[in-house]
Amino acid sequence: GMYIWKLAPVINTEGGVQAVVDKAKRAQLSSVWVKIANGTSRYSNVQGQTGNRFRELIELMGEEGIDVWGWHVPRVLEHNDAHEEADLTATIADEFELTGVLMDSESGSNFFQGTAQDATNYASRLRSKLNASGRSLAISSHDIPGNFPTFPFFRFAAHAEVNAPQVYYGGSPSVQHRLDRAIDANANLSIP
């Protein structure tokens, strides 16, 4: 799979939606992950003309057997935001007929600000809503959760069906070293 943060510049740079699909096919991608929301706000990829192009991308990717997932950054700045964010994300997934949603659940000032209970409330509600419409839920977070001891990683992961750690290896001795550390750090999860 491949993350797409800002869809419009990708489509414009590649020369159109079909060109993006062709490139994904050549790269033998099985899925493409496009940002759909940040906190309680829809992201630009699902609005206006870009939203229309996103729908076209989903249709054409589907014709090539490439799944399109959305990703959401849970923020939970206020206690009630957990349910609001889950509801918004599930609604967008239904509107765009996405295969599933990745929770881009990370620690930091621009990311999740809620409590451990908020993480549970968000993730359990999102999974319930997605599963009710035949969609899947994944987590994509820190590759070594232990490096963030106050972040409720396992509260999110408890409701995910797939774990897709973000493995950044720039400061590691080698790619293999960082990947091995990430695999070990996630070994206690029972999901693929």
Side-chain angles (χ1 to χ4, degrees):
M2 181 180 74
Y3 268 104
I4 296 178
W5 175 24
K6 297 180 179 181
L7 184 58
V10 170
I11 292 171
N12 293 339
T13 299
E14 294 301 326
V17 172
Q18 185 63 57
V20 173
V21 174
D22 293 343
K23 194 168 196 176
K25 187 176 175 186
R26 283 193 312 275
Q28 299 179 351
L29 297 179
S30 62
S31 63
V32 174
W33 309 337
V34 179
K35 186 171 185 177
I36 60 171
N38 193 61
T40 58
S41 300
R42 288 174 176 261
Y43 197 65
S44 61
N45 296 332
V46 297
Q47 299 181 66
Q49 182 59 29
T50 304
N52 294 334
R53 294 167 90 187
F54 185 29
R55 289 181 194 284
E56 182 184 356
L57 180 80
I58 293 164
E59 180 182 338
L60 295 175
M61 289 282 190
E63 290 173 4
E64 296 297 337
I66 301 171
D67 292 331
V68 180
W69 289 60
W71 55 280
H72 172 250
V73 177
R75 301 283 320 279
V76 188
L77 301 177
E78 301 289 334
H79 179 67
N80 292 337
D81 289 349
H83 286 167
E84 184 179 344
E85 290 183 23
D87 292 350
L88 172 68
T89 304
T91 296
I92 295 169
D94 287 344
E95 286 174 6
F96 283 82
E97 299 182 11
L98 300 170
T99 300
V101 170
L102 288 98
M103 300 176 286
D104 182 9
S105 307
E106 300 180 67
S107 179
S109 61
N110 290 325
F111 293 97
F112 185 74
Q113 300 299 302
T115 65
Q117 187 59 51
D118 290 331
T120 296
N121 292 345
Y122 162 81
S124 65
R125 187 173 182 113
L126 182 55
R127 177 158 180 183
S128 176
K129 287 184 166 283
L130 291 173
N131 285 177
S133 59
R135 301 182 202 302
S136 298
L137 180 63
I139 183 170
S140 186
S141 185
H142 305 293
D143 61 340
I144 304 173
N147 287 348
F148 303 89
T150 62
F151 179 69
F153 170 82
F154 293 100
R155 294 288 191 106
F156 287 104
H159 301 281
E161 298 163 271
V162 174
N163 182 23
Q166 297 177 27
V167 182
Y168 296 96
Y169 54 85
S172 299
S174 69
V175 172
Q176 188 65 51
H177 177 263
R178 185 62 180 221
L179 183 58
D180 289 344
R181 285 186 64 207
I183 290 169
D184 288 345
N186 287 271
N188 60 341
L189 294 179
S190 61
I191 55 177

